[in-house]
Amino acid sequence: MISSRHNTIFDGVDRGTVLLYTLLVLVGCISIVSASFDDASTDIFSFSHYYMKQLVWVGVAWIAAIVVLLLDDRFYHMFSYPAYIIGIVVLVAALFFGKEVNGAKAWFEFGSFRMQPVEFVKIATALALARVMSDYSFSINSAGDLFKVGMVICVPLAIIVLQNDTGSGIVLGSFLFVLYREGLNKWLCIPILLIAALFIVSFLLSPMTLLMMSILVCTLSEAMMSGEWRSRIIYLAGLMGISILFYLLMGLIAPGAMDLYHCLLSVSLSSLALVAVYAFRTRLMNIFITMGLFLISMIFLPTTDYIFNSILKQHQRDRILSFLGIISDPLGTDYNVNQSKIAIGSGGFAGKGFLHGTQIKYGFVPEHHTDFIFCTVGEEWGLLGTLTVLGLLCALVFRLIRMGERQEEPFGRIYCYSVAAILLFHVLVNVGMTIGLMPVMGIPLPFLSYGGSSLIAFTILLFIAVRLDASTRQFSLKPKN
Amino acid sequence: MSERAAGFARMRILQAVVVFIFVLLGARLIYIQLFDSRYKELAEANVLYHEVQYPPRGEVFDRNGEFLVQSQACYDVMVVYREINKAGFDTTRLCSIIGISREKLDKELANARMRPRAARLVSNFISKEDKLRFDECNFEGFYTVYRTVRQYPRKVGGNLLGYVSEVNPEMLKRDPSYKVGDYIGMSGVESAYESVLRGKKGVRIQEIDTHGAIKGSYLKGAYDSLPEPGKNLISTIDARLQLLGEELMQGKVGAAVAIEPSTGEILMMVSSPTYDPDELVGKQRGNNYITMQNNKQHPLYNRAVKARYPPGSTFKLVQGLIGLQEGVLVPSNTYPCYQGYQVGKLHVGCHSHSSPLNLVEAVANSCNAYFCYVFRDILDNRKYHSTKTGFDVWKEYVDSFGFGRKLGSDFLGEGKGYVPDRGFYDRRYRGAWNSLTVISLSIGQGELGCTPLQMANLAAIVANRGYYYIPHIVKKVEGQDSLDHRFYEKHYTKVDAKHFEPIVEGMWRGVNVAGTSRRAALPGLDVCGKTGTAQNPHGRDHSTFLSFAPRDNPRIAISVYVENAGFGATVAVPIASLLEEYYLTDTIKRPDLLEQMKTTTVYYPSYDK
C-alpha cells in the first residue's frame, strides 16, 4: 500500500509551487548578497558573510523540504496536536530561558546559532487549527467550537505577545482568513476586524467615542446576522435614553461623581444581563458571540492606555504613534521607514543594478538583510524587481488557495488556507512597512529575508501543504491507471 | 446553496481580498518608484558628499599695477572625531596654534561627536605660518582646508573696494549657486564684480556611508571638477592718489571723487570717514563691523556714491550753460548785484564783489544774483508760454548732465541724487508757483541733491566741453578684451560745445586771475575750478570745490565735498588743489599746506547726537 502510493517522492507534487518557491529563494539569495556584499573583503566566499550563511540555510531548507515530502500525509494529521503542545511548551520555555534580541525574548541560542521558535509555532498552530476544524462534528457556527478555535489561536498568540514579539503574534490573527473560508459568519468577521482597527485608532479617539462605536458595531452586526432590526434599534435607543437619564439623576444625587462615559458604560454593561436572558430564551447563539466580542473590547478599550503604556515597549509605541501620524520625527522613529522609502523610491523603474545600490550598501537602511530585504530589491532592481517579487508571492498565494480548494479532506484545505493566510499577512505587513503603508513590525519577508529559522520554517510550512496536495492528487490520479 | 457552492463563493471573495492587497502594494510601489522624484534626491543627499575645493578669489590692482587687494592663503581647520587620538593630545597647544579658546574647542568637539566620521569645521582663518606649525604637531584627526582671505597692502579704499563675508541665509535662498560657508562680496568692487572675482569652486564627489565615512569616488570622478581661480581686476583707481585723498579727508566728513575726463575712469574715490579694510577680514570681522555700524559718523556709508548733497554754487555752471544754449544769455550780458538779488520781499544774498559783472566774471566770482537772473530768464522764456513748461525744459537739461538719476557706473548701490520735477512743486504749492518760488535752485540750493560722483562727473563734462563717459572703477577684467560697451560711449549733454568756453574761462579766471578759487592755482597747470558753499539744515555750510586741470586736454576732473567746513575756498579748494598737484606732477611743492590740510579737523556736533 505504502509502496504503491510512493512511487517517488515527487509524484503528484505541484511543480508550479516548487518553481515559485525556488525562484523566491533565489531572489532572496541575490538580495542578501547585495545587502551584505563588502567590496573591502578579500575572501568573498568566507562564511563570515551573511550570504554564505544563507546558502547553508538554503541547503538545510531543501533537505527539510525533502524530509517533509518523504513523510506520509497522515503523519501530519496525527502529529498536529503533539506539535502544537510542543510548540506551546517551547514558547513558554523561551519566555523563561530565551535570549532577548531587539527587546523580544523570543530566541534560543545554541553556540553561534540562534533559533526563533515562533516561526515553527506558526506551523504547529496551522496544523492544530486544521485538525480542530476538520473534526467530523465541528461546526463553525456553534459557540463551543468557535471557542475551541479561539483558544487554539489565542494561547500561542498571548504567549508570543508576552515575549514582546507583538508583530509575530499578530500574524496568528491572520487565521481569520481561514475561518471565513470555513463558513464563519461574515457579520462576525467584520466586528472582529473593526474592533482590531478600533484598537489601533483608539489612540486617536476619546474613550466615549470608542465605547459608542463598539456598542453600535456589535449591535448592528448582530442585527445583520439575525435580520431583527426593530428590536435592536429599540435596544440602542433605550440604552442611550437610560444613560442620559441616569446621568441627569446622578447629577442631582452626587454631582461630579460620574460623567456621561461612565454612565453609558455601566448602563450598557448592566443591560448585558437582560440581553443574555433574551438570548437564552430566543436561543440566538450569535448574541452570545457578539456579547463576548463586546466584553472583550470593553476589557481592551478602557485599558488601552494601560496596554499601550505597559505591554508595548517604547519603540513599539513610537512606531504606532509615528505610523498614525501623531508623532513625527524623521531622524528618530520615522528614520527607518524614511530611509527604506528612499532606498526603494530611488530605484526608479529599472533600479541601479546588481551591487550598485548605495543606500543599502552604505548602511542607510537598518536591518537591510532581514526585515528590510525588500529595499534591496527595490533599490537595485527597481519597479521591475519589486513587481516581479510581488507577482511571485501573489502567484504562490493563489496557488495555495487552489491547492486548498482541490483537497478532498477539510484538513488539507484548512491547512493550505492557513499557509496562504500566513504568507499573505507577512507580505502585506513586511512590504507595507517598507513603503510606509504599515507600522513597523519586526516580521520577515517569506523566503527572501535572511535567517535560518524563518527560511526553514516557511519551507516546512509550504511543503507540508505540497505534501498534502500531492497525496490528494495521487488518489485522484490513481483510478485512471 | 450547497456547502460546496458556498465555499466556492467564499473562495472568490478571499481571492478578491488577495488581489486587493497586492494591487494596493503594487500601486504604492509604482507611485514611490516612478512618480515621486523626491526619493532620488534624498538618496543622493544621503550618500553623496561634495568635497568642495575653494578657488583663490581674484585680486585687484590699481591703474599702475600696484596691489589694492591681495588674496592670501589661509586655512580652515577641520576635525574628524573618530580619528582623534584616543590617548589624548596637547589641547593647549592646539588652541594656541589655531587661536581659539579651550571652551570653544570643547564645544566644537562635542558637536563633532554627533557624527564621528564626518568632517567638521573647528576654526577658520588660520595663517600660513600657523598652518605650518599645526602641520608639525601632527594632531591626529585634524586637518586643514585651503581658503583665501583678503589682504589690503595699501590699506585704502574701504568702502570703495568693499568687503567679503560668509553668505547669509537670505542670500542662499536668493542664489542657490552659493552654499553655506562660501564667501561673497558684500559691497564696493567686491560686490559689483563678485561674478568674476569669485572663480569657480571645484568639487570632488564622494560616496559616504551612514556614519559619514568616505567610501570612494562617485562614478570614478566623472562629475568632479577642479577649482577655477577668480579673475584679477585692474582698477581705474590710482592707489597713491587714493591714499593721499584719504589722508587729506581725515578728520572731515564728506567725499572726494576724481575722474579722468577723457575716459570716465575713476581715479580716486574717497568717502570720509573711511576705515582700514583689513579690519573687515578674518576672525575679528564681526566685532569690528558692529563697532563701525555703531559709529555715529557711519564709516560704512559710502558718501561718494550715495550721499545726496546740495551742490551749491558749483551748480551755477549748469545754469550758465543752459542759459547760453537756450539763447536767453549771451556771455556779454551784465547783471547788477548789490549784496544780492532783490525782488519785492524776496532776497538772495551775495558776497561783496564789483558790479555789474558779465558771465565770465560772474562765474569767477560766484555771483548769486547773476544766476538768479539767468535762471528766471530760462524759466520765464516767452517761447514756452508758461514758467512750468520752461521748468520742464530746464529739468531736461539738468537731467542730461547726469543729475537726478543713476549714472550707470559699475558700482553697485549708486545713489540717484534728486532733481525736483514740476509735479513736485505742483503738489507742494498746490499749483501756485512761479520762477521766484523756486529761485533757490538757481544757486544749487533748495530741493536739489547731487552725489559727489555726479558732481565729479559735472567737472568732467565741463572739462570735455559737453560730454562724459560713464564713470567706472574697473579698467580691465583679466581674460576679457573690453568692458561693457556703455563705458566707451560719449554721453552728450543738451548743451553745445561752443557754449562751454565762457564758463571754462570763468573757472580759469576764478583760479588764476581773480575770484573765489585763487588758492587752487598751480603754476603752469592751468587749473580751472568753481567753489561752492552750500547752506544746509545740519549746521555750518558745506564746503565744496569742483575743478579740472589742465585747461586744455584735461587729465583730471575732481570734486571735493566737505560737510560743514564753511566757505568753499577754505577747505575744499586746497584739498582738491593738492590732489591735482600730486596727480599731475607726482610731487607736492607745498608741504606746509599739505600738513595743514591733513591736520584740519571739522567739528561735527550733529553727528554726536
Side-chain angles (χ1 to χ4, degrees):
Chain A
M1 172 86 181
I2 287 171
S3 62
S4 72
R5 280 180 65 183
H6 282 178
N7 295 336
T8 76
I9 60 160
F10 299 116
D11 256 14
V13 166
D14 188 281
R15 299 233 157 82
T17 306
V18 178
L19 180 69
L20 288 170
Y21 166 79
T22 315
L23 287 174
L24 283 166
V25 170
L26 186 69
V27 172
C29 287
I30 293 171
S31 303
I32 291 164
V33 171
S34 292
S36 56
F37 192 79
D38 186 0
D39 301 310
S41 174
T42 45
D43 185 5
I44 57 165
F45 294 112
S46 155
F47 277 89
S48 62
H49 296 304
Y50 284 122
Y51 54 87
M52 289 309 287
K53 285 187 190 163
Q54 184 72 1
L55 275 183
V56 174
W57 294 127
V58 170
V60 175
W62 276 112
I63 294 167
I66 289 168
V67 171
V68 167
L69 290 179
L70 279 172
L71 293 170
D72 192 288
D73 60 310
R74 282 170 303 181
F75 169 78
Y76 301 108
H77 200 265
M78 267 162 32
F79 182 63
S80 52
Y81 283 151
Y84 183 74
I85 289 161
I86 292 169
I88 299 287
V89 169
V90 170
L91 275 184
V92 173
L95 197 56
F96 289 106
F97 311 110
K99 171 139 176 85
E100 199 168 303
V101 175
N102 291 339
K105 207 170 179 187
W107 297 78
F108 279 121
E109 202 169 37
F110 310 103
S112 65
F113 289 108
R114 285 199 303 220
M115 196 198 84
Q116 203 176 8
V118 69
E119 302 291 351
F120 297 94
V121 169
K122 286 173 203 164
I123 308 171
T125 312
L127 284 171
L129 189 70
R131 176 74 187 271
V132 169
M133 290 176 68
S134 60
D135 253 11
Y136 184 70
S137 60
F138 181 84
S139 161
I140 188 109
N141 287 323
S142 98
D145 285 347
L146 206 52
F147 178 75
K148 269 195 250 168
V149 169
M151 286 306 285
V152 167
I153 297 171
C154 289
V155 169
L157 194 151
I159 303 172
I160 297 168
V161 169
L162 282 179
Q163 286 177 343
N164 269 327
D165 193 5
T166 322
S168 302
I170 295 174
V171 173
L172 297 183
S174 65
F175 286 126
L176 188 62
F177 190 86
V178 185
L179 299 186
Y180 177 75
R181 169 62 186 83
E182 292 308 306
L184 186 66
N185 193 318
K186 67 184 165 199
W187 297 113
L188 210 52
C189 292
I190 288 169
I192 292 173
L193 284 176
L194 282 176
I195 285 167
L198 272 183
F199 180 65
I200 293 179
V201 174
S202 62
F203 302 110
L204 295 171
L205 301 176
S206 68
M208 182 67 188
T209 324
L210 286 168
L211 177 63
M212 286 175 61
M213 284 176 73
S214 311
I215 294 172
L216 281 177
V217 163
C218 290
T219 318
L220 292 181
S221 64
E222 199 280 327
M224 284 284 191
M225 279 189 274
S226 62
E228 284 269 349
W229 282 94
R230 219 180 116 97
S231 54
R232 274 44 171 190
I233 288 174
I234 292 171
Y235 169 73
L236 277 179
L239 213 54
M240 301 299 157
I242 292 170
S243 299
I244 292 168
L245 280 177
F246 185 53
Y247 175 67
L248 294 174
L249 201 64
M250 285 305 289
L252 285 177
I253 299 167
M258 278 178 109
D259 56 14
L260 194 55
Y261 168 72
H262 285 103
C263 293
L264 182 58
L265 185 65
S266 42
V267 170
S268 50
L269 284 179
S270 38
S271 77
L272 287 183
L274 290 172
V275 175
V277 172
Y278 171 78
F280 185 73
R281 288 184 57 174
T282 53
R283 297 178 199 288
L284 282 170
M285 289 328 251
N286 287 335
I287 294 182
F288 281 114
I289 296 166
T290 325
M291 268 169 63
L293 274 176
F294 179 73
L295 276 174
I296 290 169
S297 64
M298 279 308 97
I299 295 162
F300 257 56
L301 291 177
T303 53
T304 299
D305 281 342
Y306 168 76
I307 292 167
F308 190 65
N309 291 324
S310 323
I311 293 184
L312 296 182
K313 294 274 167 192
Q314 182 63 44
H315 68 271
Q316 290 168 324
R317 285 200 290 270
D318 287 347
R319 281 170 189 170
I320 292 176
L321 290 181
S322 139
F323 175 71
L324 293 172
I326 296 172
I327 57 171
S328 174
D329 176 14
L331 287 175
T333 311
D334 288 352
Y335 179 83
N336 294 3
V337 175
N338 256 324
Q339 293 297 343
S340 153
K341 281 197 276 186
I342 290 171
I344 294 176
S346 68
F349 181 70
K352 298 176 185 169
F354 182 54
L355 294 183
H356 283 92
T358 52
Q359 305 299 304
I360 306 287
K361 196 159 68 176
Y362 296 146
F364 290 95
V365 182
E367 304 285 338
H368 48 58
H369 56 285
T370 56
D371 291 350
F372 283 91
I373 192 73
F374 195 67
C375 295
T376 313
V377 180
E379 192 188 8
E380 299 200 341
W381 304 104
L383 186 64
L384 291 178
T386 52
L387 290 190
T388 305
V389 169
L390 281 191
L392 289 174
L393 287 164
C394 185
L396 190 58
V397 173
F398 263 82
R399 199 89 204 163
L400 280 162
I401 292 177
R402 205 174 122 198
M403 278 158 64
E405 288 298 331
R406 70 186 178 204
Q407 299 288 312
E408 305 272 308
E409 296 286 321
F411 180 82
R413 182 177 70 231
I414 294 161
Y415 184 79
C416 285
Y417 265 93
S418 301
V419 178
I422 292 172
L423 281 183
L424 182 66
F425 190 82
H426 270 264
V427 172
L428 171 65
V429 171
N430 182 287
V431 175
M433 81 180 174
T434 62
I435 53 183
L437 281 180
M438 288 275 154
V440 176
M441 290 189 233
I443 66 172
L445 187 58
F447 311 117
L448 275 84
S449 284
Y450 170 82
S453 306
S454 144
L455 178 63
I456 293 167
F458 273 112
T459 305
I460 295 173
L461 187 72
L462 180 68
F463 275 85
I464 291 176
V466 172
R467 169 74 265 168
L468 295 175
D469 176 58
S471 312
T472 312
R473 295 225 293 172
Q474 278 170 343
F475 277 126
S476 56
L477 291 173
K478 268 284 180 298
K480 287 177 192 163
N481 289 352
Chain B
M1 203 192 280
S2 76
E3 198 186 316
R4 204 169 173 81
F8 187 77
R10 282 167 180 260
M11 179 199 77
R12 282 284 180 234
I13 288 173
L14 290 177
Q15 282 178 336
V17 169
V18 174
V19 168
F20 172 77
I21 288 173
F22 278 95
V23 166
L24 183 74
L25 294 174
R28 175 81 174 160
L29 280 166
I30 289 172
Y31 175 72
I32 73 168
Q33 292 193 294
L34 287 191
F35 297 107
D36 199 338
S37 59
R38 115 190 106 115
Y39 293 113
K40 288 177 191 65
E41 288 158 27
L42 288 170
E44 291 200 345
N46 260 344
V47 87
L48 297 186
Y49 172 63
H50 294 252
E51 188 185 314
V52 179
Q53 294 174 304
Y54 294 97
R57 198 172 167 88
E59 301 182 311
V60 183
F61 299 90
D62 89 334
R63 61 192 295 117
N64 303 315
E66 221 179 283
F67 269 121
L68 281 175
V69 187
Q70 263 180 312
S71 255
Q72 201 196 23
C74 78
Y75 297 86
D76 286 353
V77 174
M78 314 290 286
V79 66
V80 177
Y81 189 83
R82 205 176 71 126
E83 287 161 22
I84 296 177
N85 191 343
K86 292 286 167 296
F89 58 94
D90 191 345
T91 45
T92 324
R93 196 171 161 77
L94 177 70
C95 286
S96 86
I97 290 176
I98 66 177
I100 59 172
S101 67
R102 184 63 204 270
E103 292 76 45
K104 173 101 167 28
L105 180 72
D106 289 343
K107 204 180 112 209
E108 295 299 338
L109 287 182
N111 288 333
R113 200 176 182 164
M114 305 290 188
R115 289 187 77 195
R117 286 182 235 209
R120 190 181 168 87
L121 179 74
V122 180
S123 175
N124 46 12
F125 303 116
I126 308 301
S127 71
K128 206 164 188 168
E129 296 75 47
D130 288 343
K131 191 238 177 196
L132 290 175
R133 281 170 62 205
F134 171 87
D135 287 346
E136 272 170 29
C137 297
N138 193 18
F139 295 109
E140 282 174 43
F142 292 86
Y143 66 97
T144 54
V145 173
Y146 172 84
R147 301 293 297 260
T148 57
V149 70
R150 303 308 247 176
Q151 210 192 27
Y152 304 87
R154 277 285 190 177
K155 296 198 177 295
V156 294
N159 280 313
L160 168 70
L161 298 168
Y163 66 96
V164 167
S165 90
E166 233 173 79
V167 285
N168 61 36
E170 290 115 73
M171 293 171 188
L172 288 175
K173 255 182 246 158
R174 246 182 291 138
D175 187 345
S177 68
Y178 287 92
K179 296 279 175 295
V180 174
D182 285 359
Y183 291 136
I184 185 171
M186 298 294 284
S187 65
V189 176
E190 297 280 16
S191 161
Y193 284 86
E194 167 68 16
S195 57
V196 288
L197 288 171
R198 68 190 279 209
K200 225 175 137 199
K201 282 180 290 182
V203 69
R204 275 221 312 262
I205 307 177
Q206 298 193 305
E207 295 188 335
I208 55 167
D209 70 7
T210 184
H211 309 290
I214 288 171
K215 305 301 279 189
S217 179
Y218 175 62
L219 295 178
K220 297 190 177 114
Y223 291 99
D224 292 3
S225 59
L226 288 171
E228 281 173 31
K231 298 202 173 65
N232 293 338
L233 296 180
I234 296 174
S235 160
T236 60
I237 297 293
D238 184 316
R240 292 169 307 161
L241 188 66
Q242 177 79 21
L243 179 62
L244 179 67
E246 289 186 8
E247 284 171 355
L248 288 169
M249 292 295 285
Q250 262 172 30
K252 305 147 194 101
V253 174
V257 179
I259 296 177
E260 186 176 71
S262 57
T263 55
E265 291 173 2
I266 297 172
L267 300 170
M268 177 198 78
M269 189 148 94
V270 178
S271 170
S272 185
T274 182
Y275 60 90
D276 175 359
D278 275 331
E279 286 190 1
L280 289 187
V281 167
K283 283 194 211 287
Q284 290 306 311
R285 200 190 72 79
N287 291 339
N288 291 340
Y289 187 85
I290 289 173
T291 314
M292 284 186 213
Q293 236 179 359
N294 294 335
N295 186 329
K296 287 180 180 143
Q297 294 195 357
H298 307 298
L300 290 167
Y301 180 62
N302 191 351
R303 293 175 164 80
V305 292
K306 290 197 173 110
R308 190 198 282 181
Y309 291 127
S313 301
T314 57
F315 201 70
K316 289 170 184 164
L317 304 175
V318 180
Q319 304 293 18
L321 288 166
I322 300 171
L324 291 168
Q325 179 70 28
E326 278 291 282
V328 297
L329 173 69
V330 288
S332 57
N333 278 9
T334 58
Y335 292 106
C337 171
Y338 305 105
Q339 301 285 320
Y341 177 75
Q342 187 85 34
V343 177
K345 281 188 207 162
L346 185 121
H347 176 77
V348 179
C350 192
H351 55 97
S352 47
H353 54 76
S354 60
S355 174
L357 298 173
N358 64 17
L359 175 59
V360 171
E361 289 160 337
V363 170
N365 288 301
S366 195
C367 174
N368 285 348
Y370 193 95
F371 291 96
C372 291
Y373 287 110
V374 173
F375 182 61
R376 289 198 66 193
D377 286 347
I378 298 167
L379 263 53
D380 297 335
N381 193 340
R382 291 255 174 100
K383 76 177 172 191
Y384 300 123
H385 307 294
S386 93
T387 303
K388 291 179 183 178
T389 319
F391 184 83
D392 288 339
V393 172
W394 174 84
K395 181 168 159 49
E396 265 178 54
Y397 277 105
V398 174
D399 288 350
S400 78
F401 281 83
F403 292 110
R405 61 180 166 86
K406 291 183 181 183
L407 285 169
S409 79
D410 50 356
F411 206 89
L412 299 181
E414 201 188 315
K416 280 180 170 169
Y418 184 69
V419 179
D421 61 3
R422 178 178 172 170
F424 173 84
Y425 289 114
D426 280 343
R427 280 191 298 279
R428 171 180 283 190
Y429 300 110
R430 302 215 176 93
W433 58 278
N434 57 34
S435 56
L436 272 178
T437 326
V438 297
I439 195 72
S440 25
L441 291 178
S442 63
I443 54 167
Q445 298 283 160
E447 293 77 18
L448 213 52
C450 307
T451 67
L453 183 67
Q454 286 169 336
M455 289 188 251
N457 192 46
L458 173 61
I461 290 169
V462 180
N464 285 337
R465 278 57 164 186
Y467 64 87
Y468 67 94
Y469 292 97
I470 295 176
H472 49 281
I473 39 172
V474 167
K475 202 176 165 75
K476 191 173 181 334
V477 177
E478 182 194 357
Q480 285 179 18
D481 291 336
S482 60
L483 301 172
D484 192 287
H485 66 86
R486 72 179 194 271
F487 298 123
Y488 303 117
E489 283 168 9
K490 285 181 181 175
H491 293 259
Y492 283 94
T493 61
K494 296 183 73 171
V495 178
D496 296 338
K498 63 178 184 213
H499 298 304
F500 280 83
E501 265 330 304
I503 299 294
V504 172
E505 175 68 18
M507 289 172 77
W508 184 83
R509 285 179 71 94
V511 174
N512 297 292
V513 181
T516 50
S517 324
R518 288 287 292 132
R519 292 179 82 182
L522 292 167
L525 289 179
D526 281 337
V527 175
C528 305
K530 178 77 198 76
T531 55
T533 308
Q535 295 169 358
N536 67 86
H538 306 294
R540 279 179 73 200
D541 293 348
H542 296 324
S543 166
T544 171
F545 185 55
L546 211 150
S547 166
F548 62 91
R551 179 174 172 168
D552 299 313
N553 301 317
R555 289 171 55 206
I556 182 168
I558 193 164
S559 148
V560 175
Y561 205 104
V562 184
E563 294 182 23
N564 306 118
F567 190 53
T570 52
V571 179
V573 170
I575 289 175
S577 172
L578 287 164
L579 287 167
E580 282 172 337
E581 182 182 8
Y582 187 61
Y583 181 72
L584 295 172
T585 66
D586 262 347
T587 52
I588 286 180
K589 297 206 179 74
R590 295 171 288 175
D592 296 344
L593 181 63
L594 177 69
E595 205 48 44
Q596 185 204 333
M597 292 323 298
K598 277 188 189 177
T599 51
T600 302
T601 52
V602 177
Y603 174 56
Y604 291 101
S606 60
Y607 282 113
D608 295 334
K609 278 169 197 161

